[in-house]
Amino acid sequence: MTIKEAQEAVDRWIKEYGVRYFSELTNMACLTEEVGELARLMARRYGDQSFKEGESHDPSEEMADILWVLICLANQTGVDLTEALQKSFEKKTKRDHDRHKNNPKLKEPTLPPSKA
C-alpha cells in the first residue's frame, strides 16, 4: 500500500464507518495519546521499566495507531503525505548530507573497559 493509497483508504473508512472525522484538535490530542502509548511500551521493552501483566510487548499496534491518526490529520488539513515526505527527504539530504557521517558520536560504540 502506498502512502496515497493509505490516505484514500482511511478517508473511505471514516466516511463508511466513522461517520466523520474528529475535529483536528481532537485528532491532535489522539495523536499525542498514541505517541505516549508507544513511549510507554518502548520504555518497558528497551528501557528500565518492566511490563505489567497483560501488556503487549509489540510496538506495531501503537505505531499503526499513530500512523492512522497522522493520516487523518493529513486528510483533514489537505496534506499530501507522499509529497510532504519527499520534500522532507530533499530537505534532510541537502541539510545533513555530511552531518551524520562526520558525527563522532555515531561511530561504532566502544566497549567499556573491563573491570578485571
Side-chain angles (χ1 to χ4, degrees):
M1 178 182 290
T2 66
I3 297 171
K4 180 177 177 52
E5 290 168 342
Q7 282 192 252
E8 292 168 350
V10 167
D11 192 61
R12 280 191 308 273
W13 189 95
I14 293 291
K15 290 174 180 170
E16 185 173 345
Y17 301 105
V19 180
R20 65 170 178 81
Y21 286 92
F22 295 148
S23 71
E24 293 86 349
L25 186 56
T26 297
N27 274 334
M28 187 63 229
C30 290
L31 179 61
T32 303
E33 178 186 4
E34 296 299 347
V35 170
E37 290 175 6
L38 178 62
R40 181 181 59 237
L41 189 150
M42 298 299 280
R44 285 164 169 55
R45 185 168 176 176
Y46 300 104
D48 299 322
Q49 293 185 346
S50 59
F51 282 94
K52 295 176 185 174
E53 189 174 325
E55 278 187 314
S56 172
H57 295 220
D58 181 8
S60 65
E61 183 178 346
E62 302 307 335
M63 290 180 185
D65 289 346
I66 290 167
L67 186 57
W68 177 276
V69 180
L70 183 63
I71 289 171
C72 286
L73 283 167
N75 286 351
Q76 289 176 279
T77 58
V79 172
D80 177 332
L81 284 172
T82 301
E83 182 181 318
L85 184 58
Q86 184 59 47
K87 286 180 182 178
S88 184
F89 270 107
E90 292 165 7
K91 173 184 73 175
K92 287 170 178 30
T93 300
K94 182 177 179 182
R95 181 189 67 202
D96 301 330
H97 65 280
D98 288 326
R99 177 174 161 227
H100 301 302
K101 292 177 194 173
N102 296 327
N103 182 348
K105 295 176 186 177
L106 296 178
K107 301 293 182 212
E108 285 294 319
T110 58
L111 297 175
S114 174
K115 294 184 180 182

